Amino acid sequence: MRRENQLKQGARLTFKDGNINSDTVYMNGVIYGNTLIDIKELFKRHPQVKHIVMVNVPGSMDDEINLLAFREIRAHGVATHIPADGMVASGGTDMFLAGVSRSIEAGAKLGVHSWSDGEKEALEYPKTHQEHDKYIEYYREIGIPTSFYWYTLNAAPASEIHWMTSKEIATFEILK
């Protein structure tokens, strides 16, 4: 039931102890269709925000909107962080990668997997298919090796999650 409530509500961006003057917000929940609006509103009302702590972000529901939201985070020079008890996966991982600097505490979980459009999984499309282009372009924009995209597709099917090891995180230059 808790996951169903997260899906209905979508990701929440909150200030610790309600301190709206802080430069850090905390994110919990699934990235959804209004996340772009929420992020733009956050930066409009609180331009001092420079850090997003991603506590529990298990994925996303709208990749098109999410890619725009991720670019908004990047454009505002925001750093992303996963605390020791944090869990970020799927589209949440893509949002984490938007940070101009990225950090993960020991014990945090970072998950990846293939995507599906409801009919086909990513690897069912030829490597040259335009469906891959938006992701490859995004990774290039943020300085992540494009080999990371192909790795995520092979790491686990869309219905599962692969939790990255510290060696994999280093291989793909996730932290900076």
Side-chain angles (χ1 to χ4, degrees), residues 29 72-73 77 85 138 142 147 159 165 175:
E72 200 69 28
I73 289 169
D85 61 349
Y138 172 65
I142 62 173
S147 59
S159 61
T165 65
L175 305 180

Side-chain angles (χ1 to χ4, degrees), residues 6-161:
Q6 284 180 331
L7 287 173
K8 286 180 186 174
Q9 182 178 17
R12 296 176 323 279
L13 296 160
T14 58
F15 290 94
K16 187 174 185 176
D17 300 326
N19 179 2
I20 62 170
N21 296 313
S22 175
D23 69 349
T24 302
V25 295
Y26 294 79
M27 183 174 199
N28 283 283
V30 175
I31 301 163
Y32 70 123
N34 282 348
T35 296
L36 174 61
I37 294 166
D38 295 346
I39 286 174
K40 283 184 172 185
E41 189 66 21
L42 173 73
F43 293 143
K44 180 180 173 185
R45 290 184 180 191
H46 308 284
Q48 80 281 3
V49 170
K50 291 297 175 194
H51 302 93
I52 297 176
V53 177
M54 301 179 75
V55 180
N56 181 11
V57 186
S60 62
M61 295 172 33
D62 185 334
D63 286 346
E64 300 296 327
I65 292 297
N66 294 336
L67 287 170
L68 296 172
F70 307 157
R71 286 180 173 103
E72 200 69 28
I73 289 169
R74 188 77 171 190
H76 280 83
V78 173
T80 53
H81 176 74
I82 307 172
D85 61 349
M87 185 278 295
V88 173
S90 188
T93 298
D94 289 331
M95 179 172 277
F96 173 73
L97 295 173
V100 293
S101 66
R102 301 175 292 267
S103 58
I104 300 173
E105 291 179 19
K109 295 170 76 175
L110 186 63
V112 296
H113 66 131
S114 182
W115 55 263
S116 171
D117 61 11
E119 293 181 25
K120 292 183 181 180
E121 291 224 2
L123 291 174
E124 292 180 66
Y125 290 98
K127 279 193 165 190
T128 56
H129 197 280
Q130 67 185 17
E131 286 295 320
H132 299 293
D133 293 348
K134 61 188 166 198
Y135 301 104
I136 291 170
E137 180 182 321
Y138 172 65
Y139 290 133
R140 282 187 182 137
E141 281 179 41
I142 62 173
I144 296 292
T146 56
S147 59
F148 177 72
Y149 173 69
W150 302 110
Y151 154 79
T152 66
L153 302 185
N154 285 291
S159 61
E160 297 177 22
I161 295 289

